[in-house]
Amino acid sequence: MANTKSGTEIIARAMQKAGVEGLEDRHPAATLLLWFNDWQRELRIKLANLGIQGLTVPSTQANLPTTAPTASEKFLEVDLPDNAVGIYGADVLEDSEWKPLLPGSFAMRRDYQQSGANRPTHWLTETLPLEAAAPSAPAVGKLMLFPLSTRGLPYRIWHLKAWANITDAA
């Protein structure tokens, strides 16, 4: 999502609304901009959690793996999309129709393996993305999809992308 206002414009508009234009600033512009980005980030997550449309985006379509991560498991494992801060759904394409997967419960993860479906029906976050020692190589988060399917069906993950901070650059 492209930001259309610079940090300078946002701060100037906020000061105008507050009626403090031309007064000695109580907080430096850099601090105000930091707070603005924090508030934007929190607001987007809260709105996405409430189910507000238009904030989540689908991942690029890919095919599911055809084997479990280990021989004894009964689920598929897929990477979370890059830059995702929240997962809000997953879909599998079967017979030219997108089928939504239901969010799963960790406590019930073994119950899903016997669903009788020939495609995944539930998703569950396995691991969250982690910052790595080298910023260029963060650890990727993983989703578990139940039950195991060897059909390699196309899938998409609906997610909220990380907020791109607004800076002073226009």
Side-chain angles (χ1 to χ4, degrees):
M1 172 196 291
N3 299 318
T4 59
K5 300 276 185 201
S6 71
T8 304
E9 291 171 312
I10 291 168
I11 291 169
R13 184 75 172 139
M15 291 179 78
Q16 180 188 29
K17 287 281 193 181
V20 294
E21 300 171 272
L23 298 177
E24 192 64 31
D25 293 337
R26 180 174 169 190
H27 301 288
T31 301
L32 295 175
L33 195 55
L34 174 72
W35 291 344
F36 174 79
N37 282 312
D38 287 345
W39 293 328
Q40 276 289 35
R41 192 173 292 106
E42 292 169 14
L43 177 63
R44 289 176 73 250
I45 290 171
K46 286 179 182 180
L47 292 174
N49 287 344
L50 289 171
I52 302 298
Q53 301 282 324
L55 294 170
T56 58
V57 295
S59 64
T60 302
Q61 182 177 317
N63 289 337
L64 290 171
T66 56
T67 58
T70 61
S72 62
E73 287 297 355
K74 300 294 184 195
F75 64 88
L76 296 172
E77 183 180 83
V78 296
D79 291 343
L80 293 178
D82 290 339
N83 212 12
V85 294
I87 304 302
Y88 294 90
D91 299 327
V92 172
L93 184 62
E94 180 182 46
D95 300 327
S96 302
E97 191 175 313
W98 285 103
K99 312 276 183 160
L101 278 59
L102 301 171
S105 156
F106 187 75
M108 296 183 66
R109 69 193 180 284
R110 298 301 178 200
D111 296 340
Y112 304 135
Q113 61 194 6
Q114 301 301 330
S115 75
N118 196 14
R119 65 168 177 84
T121 57
H122 291 78
W123 64 270
L124 178 66
T125 303
E126 182 179 13
T127 58
L128 298 173
L130 301 173
E131 291 184 27
S136 61
V140 175
K142 303 280 186 188
L143 278 188
M144 299 163 67
L145 304 178
F146 292 92
L148 176 66
S149 169
T150 58
R151 295 169 59 195
L153 297 170
Y155 75 97
R156 289 184 122 167
I157 298 171
W158 288 86
H159 62 287
L160 179 67
K161 286 188 172 186
W163 170 254
N165 284 342
I166 293 178
T167 64
D168 261 337

